[in-house]
Amino acid sequence: MSIEETDIFDLMDVPVEDITVEQKKEPKYEVPAVREYDGKDFLRVRQSYQLSQSKFAALLGVKRNTLSGYENEAKPPSTIAKRMLGIIEEHPDFIRTFYIQKLED
């Protein structure tokens, strides 16, 4: 029998009958749903950190013009930007300590 004709289970030395589907395992970490933020939320959080649009945009991972569009409600925030805003809002000490200091250097 050539390799092309070999069944994958023959290579594994496991009879097909012995293979079972494992029961669903509990996740080790549950990712929360993305909160709904609008442009006013981006402006509020940015002002609470007293950052320019350029620096806050860098913290979010977007361009300054994109952040401006969010804040002016000219464009809806992306899901990843909303997720980042949630992280920034929920962990102010971490953000101030590790990220804002680097932005100001």
Side-chain angles (χ1 to χ4, degrees):
M1 180 181 303
S2 70
I3 193 73
E4 293 87 22
E5 298 171 6
T6 305
D7 189 314
I8 188 72
F9 297 108
D10 291 337
L11 294 173
M12 294 177 11
D13 283 336
V14 177
V16 176
E17 299 80 32
D18 292 348
I19 297 175
T20 60
V21 177
E22 289 185 41
Q23 291 182 347
K24 184 177 178 183
K25 294 181 181 179
E26 290 296 317
K28 291 183 182 180
Y29 181 77
E30 188 171 318
V31 177
V34 177
R35 284 186 49 194
E36 282 303 315
Y37 288 106
D38 61 20
K40 293 174 187 159
D41 295 314
F42 282 81
L43 179 61
R44 175 183 51 78
V45 174
R46 178 175 68 82
Q47 288 176 339
S48 75
Y49 282 99
Q50 300 176 336
L51 290 174
S52 67
Q53 279 187 334
S54 296
K55 289 182 179 180
F56 195 65
L59 192 56
L60 286 170
V62 299
K63 294 182 179 180
R64 191 202 60 76
N65 289 343
T66 302
L67 175 61
S68 178
Y70 295 164
E71 290 183 355
N72 295 319
E73 297 187 340
K75 68 186 320 184
S78 68
T79 302
I80 192 68
K82 290 188 279 189
R83 171 126 8 236
M84 286 301 298
L85 186 66
I87 293 168
I88 291 166
E89 186 175 38
E90 292 170 20
H91 304 285
D93 293 335
F94 177 78
I95 299 300
R96 287 186 201 285
T97 302
F98 293 102
Y99 291 99
I100 293 179
Q101 287 178 350
K102 292 179 192 233
L103 290 173
E104 293 174 349
D105 289 342

